[in-house]
Amino acid sequence: MLQPRIPVNPLPTGHTIPLAQPTAPTTAVEPVACHHDHTPAPAPVTAPRTTVQLTPGSALALAAGGGTVVLIVGTVLVSMLLAVAITGVSVALIAVVLRLIVRDMQKSR
């Protein structure tokens, strides 16, 4: 009942054979003669690729720029880690102080 409509290709020829063979057309169609030139269009001319040539000075500048980027990103990440650590220590210190204050209040009752 449910069969796939996949073209059958028993031989690996590269040509697919459809399931249903088309029938001959019922009306005769006469070819029309064309009146234009059938020469192929010229292939587009591609520009030759230019290769990037690194001189010793430009390679040094590129390495220095990369090193600068690494140092800046590292500084930002270390600063963020330091901010998180300081915040954690501050919260822990506040918790200890509050615990001591609550314990002192309970003893004085």
Side-chain angles (χ1 to χ4, degrees):
M1 183 171 115
L2 297 175
Q3 294 181 352
R5 300 287 181 180
I6 301 172
V8 179
N9 192 7
L11 300 174
T13 59
H15 302 288
T16 57
I17 303 169
L19 289 174
Q21 297 294 331
T23 59
T26 56
T27 59
V29 178
E30 295 182 15
V32 178
C34 34
H35 302 287
H36 60 274
D37 190 20
H38 283 279
T39 58
V45 178
T46 58
R49 291 187 177 180
T50 59
T51 58
V52 177
Q53 295 178 354
L54 288 177
T55 62
S58 64
L60 184 64
L62 184 64
T68 304
V69 168
V70 167
L71 288 177
I72 291 172
V73 169
T75 303
V76 169
L77 292 177
V78 167
S79 300
M80 290 171 52
L81 181 63
L82 186 60
V84 169
I86 290 173
T87 304
V89 169
S90 300
V91 169
L93 186 61
I94 290 171
V96 169
V97 169
L98 284 176
R99 190 172 116 193
L100 290 175
I101 290 173
V102 169
R103 184 181 293 168
D104 190 37
M105 286 174 57
Q106 286 178 352
K107 284 184 180 181
S108 63
R109 281 190 181 177

